[in-house]
Structures are given as C-alpha cells and as structure tokens.
Amino acid sequence: MYEQASHSLLNEILIELKPEIGNLRLRHFYTRLGANFYAIHSLFHLLYGGRSDFKEQMVSLIETLAQRYIERAPALRKSDLAREKDYNWFLSQKWVGMALYCDRFADDLKGLRANLPYLQELGINMLHIMPMLDCPPEHSDGGYAVRDFYRIDPRFGTTEDVEALAATLKKRDMLLVLDVVVNHTSNEHEWAQRARQGDKKYQDYFFVFDDRETPDIFEETMPEIFPLIAPGNFTWDAEMGKWVMTVFHSYQWDLNYRNPAVLIEMIDIILYWANQGADILRLDAVAFLWKKMGSVCQNEREAHLLLQLMKDCCQVTAPGVLFIAEAIVAPSEISKYFGEDAINAKECEIAYNATLMALLWDAVATKNAALLNQGIKSHPIKLERATWLNYVRCHDDIGLGFDDHDVRLAGYDPAMHRRFLIDYFTGRFPGSPARGLPFGENPKTGDARISGSLASLVGLEAALESQDAAAIDDAIKTIVLLHGVILSFGGIPLLYYGDAIGALNSLEYLADSSKAADNRWMNRSNFDWNKAKKRHQTGTVEQRIFSALKKLIVLRKETTAFADMDNRQLLDVDTPNLLVFSRVDPSNSRNRVLVVANFNVEAQTLPSDALRSNGFLQPEAMKDLCTGERIEVSNDMVALPPLSCLWLTD
Ligand code: GLC
Ligand code: GLC
C-alpha cells in the first residue's frame, strides 16, 4: 500500500543509511522494502511510536535488514526468487518432516550428514534439527536456554558445518528447519551477564524489578509452565540484587520486547540463520512474547504484532524462508498465529497442530473418535496459504489442550475426562498398557500433562515385556494408524526420530542430575542404531513399523489430493469409533481419497449409504491404497479392521 507519511520516512531513511549500504546494488531489496515498508512502519509505530528515539530505531532496523541482505548468498537469493513465483510450494504433499537431536541421532553435524541416507530411506525430506546453539551444559533446557545465538555448540560442530549440511540437503531436495528461541535467553547470555553487572541498557532487555511488588501483581494472573521443576514466574538474582522474569526455567530470562532493541537483535538473529541456509525457522514459544500485567501473558495482541513485524522483515531480506509457530495454546488461539484477516500468512506460514495431536491421543485412550470428530469440527478454519505441522509425538510433553465445550459435546465432564486421560497414559487406569509419566502436575490446579515415547504410550513396552503377541500387534497398529492420520490430514507431517523404529521410553536421563527432574527426557533417547538395523529383518517390530510408515510416506507423496489446498471434508458417519474424511484434489476432482480411521480394538462397519451420499462407492468398488486390495461391501456395510487407517480411492 502507498501511504504518504511512511513513504516519505522511507526516503529519509534511505538517504540516512550508511554510505556503504546506499552504494550497493540492491534492486530486489528495495522493491521488497518498498512493498513491505508501510506495514513495517505502521507496526513498529504501533509498538514503539511513543519513544523519542523512534526514528533512530527504525533506521537501525532497516540497516539490519539491508546488512543481512547484502550477506545473503547468491544461491539463497535465487531460491528466494523461485519461491516468490512458486509461492504455494510448501503446501505440496511431497514434504514429510522429522524432528531429531543432532547429538542423539548422530554424534555431530558431520555424523548427521553421513546418516542422511537413513532419513531418505524412510522418505523424510524436511529435517528439523533440535537447537544446537551454545547453552550452559547443566542448564540447557534441551537447547532452549541459549547462551550465544550466533555460536553452534562445539560438540555439534561449527557454523560452517551447518552451511555444509544445508548445501547437502539442498542437493537432495530436502529442507532444513532450525530453531530460533525468540522468547528468552539463558541467564549466562552476554545480555544477562551485563544486566547482572548493573548495565541499565541490558537490564532493559529483560524484566527486572527491585522488589516483589510488580512480580506479585503479575503472578496473580500468570499460570506456571513448570510448576514442579520451576515454580513461579520470577527468580531472585543475588548478583544483580533484583527479581527477573523467568516464565520457563529459573535460568531462562524472558526478553522484553517493549524495548525495540530486543526486537531488532532478534530479527538480526533470524536473518543470520536464514542466511546459513535454513529453509524454515521454528520460532519457539511465540505465544509468550508479550507480557502484560493483569493478563495470562500469552496470546497477547502485541505478540501477534511482533510476529507480523518479524515476518515482514524476513520477507524483505529472505522472502523464501518460512516460519513455524510453536504456540501450544488453546485450539481457538493457535490458528491466529498464521495471522488473522488475510489470505497468505501474515505471521507464520506453518503452525504446530497441537490440537490434532492431543485429540489423537484422546482417541487412543478412549478407543473412539467422539472427541476427535468434535474437535476437528470446531477447529478454526485456517488461512489459504498457511499449513499445519501435524505430529503425534515431539520432544515435549502432551498437553490436554482441548476446548472444554467440545469435551462436553463429546459426552464427557472436562475435569473427569482429563483425569481419566492422565490415569490412562500413566498406566494407573485399570487395564491400560500405557507407560507414561505425569509432567508438570500442578497440585494447586490439578492440571497435568504427559511424558513418554509414542511406543511406550501405546503399550508396546508393556506388550514386549509380557511377550503378548496380540498386544504387540495392537501397539504396532496404533502407531501406524496415528501416522496414517497425520500423513493424510492436510499439512506437513512431522515424525519424531525414534518413532519409526518403535523407540521405547529411555531412563538414562535419571542418571544425569541436570535432567533427572524433567521427565520429558524419557522421550529424548539416543537413537539406537542396532535397533534401527532390525528394520531390514523381516518380522521384527522395527521392520513392521518402519516398512509400514515408509509405504505410507511413498503413497502420500504420490497422492495429489493430500496437498493442503483446504480440501478436507469431515464426514458425519454416526459411528463414534471412526474418523472419516475426504481429500479431493481441487485441480482434478477424480483424484480423491477417503480416509477412514478406526480407533477401536474391534472391527467396525460403516454403512455404505453414508459413503454413497457423499459421492463415494459409485460404482460399488473402492480400493485401499495401502494394500491395493478392493474393500468389501456386504449387507450394505463396509468392514473396517481394528485399529486401522484406510486410504480408500475409487
Ligand atoms: C524448494 C523445493 C521445491 C520448490 C522450491 C521453490 O527448494 O525443493 O520443490 O518448488 O523450493 O523454490
Ligand atoms: C518450547 C520447547 C520446550 C522448551 C520451551 C522453553 O516449548 O519446545 O522444549 O522447554 O519452549 O524454551
């Protein structure tokens, strides 16, 4: 949009830019800056307009964008241009992701590069490497307590190794996803150190208070994220003699985005990693970016404005780079991280689908899809040019973030139902084979989340111990079923590194005092390469899971109806054990798939009328993509095997 005031400011800024910047040939930079400047200026003004140094800060922001553009390698600039033309590239069904720890999967970045064939064998072409930046070893929060945003932990290698990996991935048509921890730093970060030494400039990077007066007011409305391992939201720092806001661990200091210098530093960091070859950046804990007294300090409007600014700035310098929002919040809030009232994403193009993840776990425990169907029905419509990251497990706990209204509509009492789920997954519920642990139990509120590996949570660990072949079958079927849904739902599926070989809970973390209190580590085990080898040995658990997932991945990539073109329709089938939805390729409606997931341990039937009225089964035949077999219609019923996800085509 052309708006006089902002364009005259842009002209002034361009004149004031450092001469070495002004003299360079920056055609694409200037056109993108021109296109985005109105938005950048308005957002920056909304947040920081009241400051006397507003213009100086604007100049500093634009200089940062220009500087990082100048450094951007020609190959990356070329990819930016290609992606601008092919802007829907990330909605394709061809992408299948995996999240892994560099050191736990391979020793270091070079080892990771050497092990790419394993990922390619499975069909993975989007690689999220968990954070690798320098952190204090004893207080790292698994990489999310960063001491230096520009330095790779030497245990993993160097920045050059990241660049080399990025180049290798590009050659293999694989995407690289890296984290940017935007909400906080380690208490050993240089900014925190300087703040401690009394430097006011850096104290203003954080939220520091002389006494408890303000912290106490904040505490009245702020929930606790880690009530057991890190209670409260503020920590006393003896050296500084002040309280500091620490929403996560006591050693993670929350950044103060009321200070524009913090935003500019973070944009610089984002662009730095974009320039090292990341295709996608995962922005950690974005719901927490803005703190406001009297609020829960999550999902504030200003947090969205900050993300819009980050996106607009990234589009000026590195427009081919996408953002993933890690916002594990209420269903009605998550989709706002794409940006509201827009067609293409204004904030993050991709968001973790924590709602679907939690709903899938509900279906596992209840063995029906009542809440799953209800939750999907209520799932807010997302933007056209944005997509979900669909996952079953990740490195964190499973939060039971359902909407209470949906829980009631599914026929449960919300508090009792959550209690049941926790009891089920921690194996306390009679007959439950799950081996999870409660995480973040809050005695004050009764809330809890769940830790554990996929395989152990679906009963594989218990079944292997008792050598119960039928129970082993059920656990494997459940693993495949859950992946069948995330691979067909619409969005980018994100697998977790041990899950394709049935990695069980790991208890190694208990021996490490810096990890023992945080049971999320039970699902962050060292990848067992001996176990992985068994994927080639017919009949092993590893082979059964790996080969089933591998096949589903191949089929997903071939099936154009699985691209995310907002082309999913939920079918009301009146059978609570089933989740049924169709996916239709909008460019050729003959390419369509009916996904039927049965969460029950018993075979189910689906009235063929329900399918006919939705245009399927005309003529009578359908086949399952996975087995290639025709499905039977007898007595006007379609039979569905226990714990299965069928992908049916005409
Ligand atoms: C990515 C993908 C490719 C896509 C391209 C657009 O590098 O590999 O499939 O078309 O981006 O630039
Ligand atoms: C994110 C990470 C989690 C971490 C937290 C604080 O939620 O996924 O592992 O503890 O942010 O950085």
Side-chain angles (χ1 to χ4, degrees), residues 414-636:
M416 274 165 63
H417 191 60
R418 286 200 172 81
R419 192 69 254 163
F420 156 73
L421 292 172
I422 291 155
D423 287 346
Y424 182 89
F425 286 113
T426 53
R428 296 176 200 148
F429 188 79
S432 162
R435 290 276 175 89
L437 286 178
F439 177 78
E441 258 178 331
N442 190 332
K444 286 170 244 166
T445 60
D447 288 344
R449 285 110 76 187
I450 297 146
S451 285
S453 79
L454 167 61
S456 295
L457 288 172
V458 299
L460 185 61
E461 187 176 334
L464 288 169
E465 247 169 54
S466 56
Q467 300 190 337
D468 178 340
I472 294 176
D473 276 359
D474 283 355
I476 294 176
K477 281 182 196 155
T478 308
I479 293 174
V480 178
L481 156 64
L482 292 169
H483 284 92
V485 177
I486 63 160
L487 283 157
S488 60
F489 189 77
I492 304 175
L494 182 74
L495 280 70
Y496 189 63
Y497 66 111
D499 290 348
I501 54 166
L504 305 178
N505 288 339
S506 151
L507 299 180
E508 285 157 50
Y509 76 102
L510 291 172
D512 179 338
S513 62
S514 70
K515 301 191 172 99
D518 185 346
N519 63 30
R520 289 178 299 170
W521 285 95
M522 67 205 266
N523 193 31
R524 301 174 181 176
S525 56
N526 284 315
F527 188 73
D528 183 344
W529 284 98
N530 284 325
K531 192 169 156 63
K533 274 192 202 132
K534 294 195 197 145
R535 73 188 185 278
H536 295 138
Q537 207 175 311
T538 311
T540 60
V541 167
E542 293 78 6
Q543 183 265 334
R544 291 169 66 192
I545 301 172
F546 189 93
S547 62
L549 299 191
K550 179 176 165 173
K551 183 156 188 193
L552 289 177
I553 291 171
V554 169
L555 291 169
R556 167 189 159 90
K557 291 183 179 174
E558 286 171 358
T559 306
T560 52
F562 286 160
D564 186 11
M565 297 295 160
D566 288 320
N567 50 342
R568 177 183 55 250
Q569 202 195 334
L570 194 65
L571 269 59
D572 240 329
V573 290
D574 228 12
T575 313
N577 297 321
L578 305 179
L579 168 70
V580 185
F581 57 86
S582 66
R583 301 294 317 276
V584 183
D585 179 347
S587 61
N588 179 357
S589 60
R590 274 180 312 184
N591 292 336
R592 56 183 193 164
V593 181
L594 186 72
V595 177
V596 186
N598 173 12
F599 286 86
N600 201 268
V601 287
E602 305 288 337
Q604 302 292 311
T605 52
L606 179 59
S608 50
D609 279 357
L611 302 184
R612 279 202 197 91
S613 60
N614 282 286
F616 287 91
L617 277 179
Q618 295 170 343
E620 281 288 296
M622 285 183 96
K623 74 167 190 188
D624 176 16
L625 268 178
C626 310
T627 57
E629 280 167 22
R630 268 174 64 110
I631 58 143
E632 300 291 325
V633 182
S634 76
N635 298 331
D636 282 332

Side-chain angles (χ1 to χ4, degrees), residues 141 144 184 226 248 252 282 284 326 395-396 520 524:
D141 190 24
Y144 289 101
H184 43 256
F226 299 139
F248 291 88
Q252 285 164 309
R282 173 193 182 276
D284 184 61
E326 194 253 350
H395 68 292
D396 279 334
R520 289 178 299 170
R524 301 174 181 176

Side-chain angles (χ1 to χ4, degrees), residues 79 82-83 86 89 94-95 170 173 175 279:
S79 139
R83 287 179 183 176
D86 180 19
W89 66 272
K94 82 181 232 192
W95 303 116
K170 210 136 266 165
D173 200 16
L175 303 173
D279 297 283

